[in-house]
Amino acid sequence: MILVGGLAALLQAFVSLSATAKVLIAVSSAAALISLCFYAAGAQDPDENSPDSLSGWNLLAIVPFFDTRFDFLNAAFQHSGQSIFKFKLLQNTVIAVSGAEGRKDFLTSRGLDINEGFKLLSGAIPMLPGVTSDLQARRIATIHKRLSMAQTSEHLSRLLPKILDDGERLMGLWGNSGTIDIFDCIPRMFFQTSVRCLSATEIADDDDAVARLKQLYDTLDTATTPASVLFPWFPSPSMISKLVATVKIYKIVNGVVQKRTQSGVVEDDTLQILVDNADDKMVMIGFIMGLLVAGARSTGTTASWLTIFLAGHPEWRMKAREEAESLLLTHSCYSPGDSVKSALASIPLEIWENETPIFDSLIRETLRLAQPHTAMRRNMGPDAYIGGKRVPSGSYVVYPFSDVHLDSELYPDPWTFNPARPENKTPHSWIGWGGGTTVCMGQRLARLSLKLITALMLLELDFDLVDRRTGQPPLVLPQPNWNDALTCKPDNEDTRHMRYRRRQCMAKS
Ligand code: HEM
């Protein structure tokens, strides 16, 4: 508490500095960055089992690791002529891995730690000393345990109608017809459902609080720069805005946690699971702050791309709508004129989970083609071997999902969206929810939310993709930009719009 208070005071002091003082600090940050870059240019390792270093690449060339990671890694693999190479980020060794053998070793090596990897290399998770950056293994284990409790069939069945309520309410704000930017409205909707499912009713029911939180999390994304990742302790402007946003998020979450624990009020929500288990406050705050990042961003991105693909591919939109209609007619008591949302809410969880082959294949193909993830780990065990190359204890390892998901031997014509692709049986050839020792712990909730909101949209709206300049379907369908490491938003903003019109009520066949 004292720590956070002190931190807030320090931030306040910085914010009130004169413009000149801020410029001086920023200039000295840049000077330090440049000198450290030159200091860090790596030397070759004489060990023959060590991966080759990128020769002729100094740290300035490695800034693209943060800005244009897909291009950087592709070019570097090509330049090195190897499937595994290493480079330096300041004093840290980072080993980049590709290929089937490297992938298997990367995913299954026990000493590789995801939390330590993300701490240095991601920079997009709010790091608040004592709250999120210093969560000990014991607290992380408790958070993971509570996350599985939040995804028992019983709890998910209770969340199911609430997710649909939120979806219906936000879609209602769009009106009966119009055009929306998919990458604005869809992440907003999934941020709301994530807040609903991973935090507290008091926040989820408060539109202003949700909007504020969304804006703060967006600030964290935009404030993540190479400098803020490499020198998180340095008061660069981006580091300051990131810290300010993190402290504000902390205050919102802390306020709700404190009120709930002190008032003894009982709610039917996920925070209550933590309260009932008498978890310590740092676990509660870490759970909400950390999982909102993990959950809302990835679910919002996947949902946005799923919507783009459905809007741009009428044949798949039709198949998905038929599946949603069939669920409604077979597993609910829907009659024309009834509320579609209420009917969907009455469909049992196990039907949503096990009897939606079209939705499953749509999600699978979306996660293959539009998830620009690079898995990051730190070797916290003894030296390990990946693809026959030595990974020293303490070094960092990265594996870009593009290596497998865009491999034309595994996926012919890899940039084409085709949910009818046969499932490849090669081990670890599809890792949309992770693989080996690290798989997504929120996937049950994420899949359910994606299916519910998509079904609602398909049944309540007619929609297609539109180029906002011409008002016509785009000549070329948007393609995921893998250099945008968080959302892979298409480069052309004009073609990511959806035109929609509310449908007449569905007839019962
Ligand atoms: C469509 C949405 C989602 C996608 C595509 C997704 C994907 C993934 C992937 C690929 C990983 C493995 C990362 C790696 O190996 O580096 C992962 C891990 C994880 N995910 Fe998700 N995720 C989604 C939603 C969620 C949600 C909603 C939550 C929480 C409620 C969540 C919680 C986690 C956690 C805690 C881990 C780390 C597991 C560990 O430490 O072993 N994810 N996710």
Side-chain angles (χ1 to χ4, degrees):
M1 233 359 274
I2 293 168
L3 187 65
V4 172
L7 202 58
L10 187 128
L11 290 171
Q12 209 56 46
F14 181 85
V15 171
S16 59
L17 281 177
S18 70
T20 322
K22 282 180 188 160
V23 168
L24 279 175
I25 290 177
V27 168
S28 53
S29 308
L33 171 65
I34 290 166
S35 53
L36 277 163
C37 287
F38 285 112
Y39 154 81
Q44 289 293 334
D45 190 329
D47 177 357
E48 62 177 31
N49 287 326
S50 182
D52 287 352
S53 292
L54 283 183
S55 57
W57 294 55
N58 68 19
L59 222 160
L60 285 180
I62 286 163
V63 167
F65 175 75
F66 295 102
D67 284 351
T68 48
R69 187 168 299 155
F70 177 66
D71 288 347
F72 165 74
L73 288 175
N74 281 345
F77 279 122
Q78 209 168 7
H79 178 86
S80 72
Q82 308 285 321
S83 56
I84 299 178
F85 67 85
K86 69 178 177 191
F87 60 99
K88 282 278 193 188
L89 282 182
L90 303 184
Q91 73 277 27
N92 303 299
T93 299
V94 181
I95 295 168
V97 174
S98 66
E101 190 191 348
R103 173 164 67 248
K104 180 181 122 306
D105 292 345
F106 176 92
L107 292 172
T108 54
S109 288
R110 295 244 155 233
L112 301 189
D113 186 296
I114 185 173
N115 296 305
E116 290 296 322
F118 267 91
K119 244 189 228 176
L120 174 78
L121 298 173
S122 161
I125 295 174
M127 292 299 172
L128 204 54
V131 181
T132 47
S133 65
D134 301 336
L135 278 177
Q136 306 98 329
R138 187 177 48 83
R139 283 195 172 125
I140 293 178
T142 308
I143 288 175
H144 288 172
K145 202 162 147 193
R146 299 295 173 250
L147 179 53
S148 15
M149 292 171 81
Q151 292 173 98
T152 57
S153 298
E154 199 260 326
H155 193 69
L156 281 183
S157 297
R158 294 217 306 275
L159 286 175
L160 196 155
K162 298 181 185 183
I163 296 172
L164 285 163
D165 279 344
D166 279 336
E168 171 100 330
R169 193 169 57 80
L170 292 195
M171 262 168 56
L173 300 178
W174 302 351
N176 283 337
S177 62
T179 302
I180 53 162
D181 179 346
I182 290 175
F183 277 92
D184 176 33
C185 293
I186 300 294
R188 208 176 285 283
M189 180 132 71
F190 279 84
F191 190 80
Q192 169 69 46
T193 60
S194 300
V195 169
R196 173 76 59 200
C197 298
L198 296 170
S199 72
T201 308
E202 296 88 324
I203 308 181
D205 281 350
D206 179 345
D207 288 349
D208 288 342
V210 174
R212 255 195 336 271
L213 274 178
K214 169 91 172 62
Q215 199 184 12
L216 292 167
Y217 276 109
D218 288 349
T219 304
L220 290 180
D221 287 353
T222 50
T224 299
T225 63
S228 71
V229 175
L230 289 172
F231 311 107
W233 40 264
F234 214 85
S236 64
S238 81
M239 174 275 197
I240 295 292
S241 55
K242 198 169 151 137
L243 217 50
V244 170
T246 307
V247 170
K248 286 183 176 168
I249 295 172
Y250 173 86
K251 281 186 168 171
I252 295 175
V253 175
N254 180 46
V256 169
V257 165
Q258 215 157 344
K259 217 165 160 188
R260 177 79 64 88
T261 44
Q262 285 169 2
S263 68
V265 168
V266 174
E267 293 280 357
D268 177 18
D269 62 13
T270 299
L271 173 58
Q272 197 62 42
I273 295 178
L274 288 92
V275 173
D276 291 347
N277 280 281
D279 287 327
D280 73 50
K281 204 178 81 172
M282 285 306 131
V283 166
M284 297 189 199
I285 295 175
F287 181 99
I288 295 176
M289 286 179 74
L291 294 184
L292 273 183
V293 178
R297 191 184 292 126
S298 41
T299 316
T301 295
T302 304
S304 301
W305 275 103
L306 178 56
T307 308
I308 292 241
F309 292 138
L310 285 171
H313 294 267
E315 70 286 12
W316 284 104
R317 192 166 68 238
M318 201 57 69
K319 283 184 203 210
R321 179 174 286 152
E322 277 166 17
E323 183 164 274
E325 284 176 355
S326 145
L327 286 181
L328 202 65
L329 298 176
T330 320
H331 298 286
S332 81
C333 303
Y334 177 79
S335 294
D338 288 353
S339 148
V340 167
K341 177 208 72 178
S342 304
L344 288 176
S346 70
I347 298 172
L349 175 71
E350 58 272 21
I351 302 293
W352 285 108
E353 295 201 308
N354 303 321
E355 296 189 26
T356 55
I358 299 288
F359 278 21
D360 288 334
S361 58
L362 287 164
I363 293 172
R364 187 182 169 85
E365 180 68 345
T366 303
L367 291 185
R368 181 191 70 78
L369 183 52
Q371 188 182 183
H373 183 61
T374 296
M376 299 171 176
R377 310 280 190 268
R378 187 173 194 192
N379 183 6
M380 302 304 283
D383 288 3
Y385 282 83
I386 291 189
K389 297 292 181 189
R390 190 167 66 85
V391 174
S393 178
S395 59
Y396 293 84
V397 200
V398 298
Y399 177 74
F401 278 22
S402 53
D403 175 62
V404 57
H405 285 167
L406 298 179
D407 179 342
S408 56
E409 292 198 359
L410 294 169
Y411 299 100
D413 198 5
W415 289 99
T416 298
F417 177 76
N418 177 11
R421 289 174 192 277
E423 281 188 25
N424 199 307
K425 298 293 174 216
T426 315
H428 307 301
S429 59
W430 184 85
I431 51 173
W433 299 108
T437 53
T438 308
V439 288
C440 179
M441 292 183 170
Q443 78 170 273
R444 232 184 137 183
L445 173 63
R447 295 170 95 107
L448 179 67
S449 311
L450 288 167
K451 289 179 186 179
L452 292 174
I453 300 292
T454 309
L456 194 63
M457 276 176 51
L458 286 161
L459 294 175
E460 297 208 328
L461 303 177
D462 281 321
F463 61 92
D464 61 358
L465 212 55
V466 72
D467 184 326
R468 72 171 164 186
R469 285 165 316 170
T470 60
Q472 298 298 317
L475 296 175
V476 181
L477 291 180
Q479 183 166 296
N481 170 13
W482 279 63
N483 279 317
D484 175 346
L486 292 178
T487 66
C488 63
K489 273 183 203 166
D491 284 336
N492 183 350
E493 285 190 21
D494 294 320
T495 58
R496 61 181 205 211
H497 286 71
M498 178 178 109
R499 181 172 47 191
Y500 59 90
R501 177 176 296 280
R502 209 153 273 276
R503 297 176 82 209
Q504 300 300 320
C505 73
M506 231 182 73
K508 189 158 188 163
S509 57

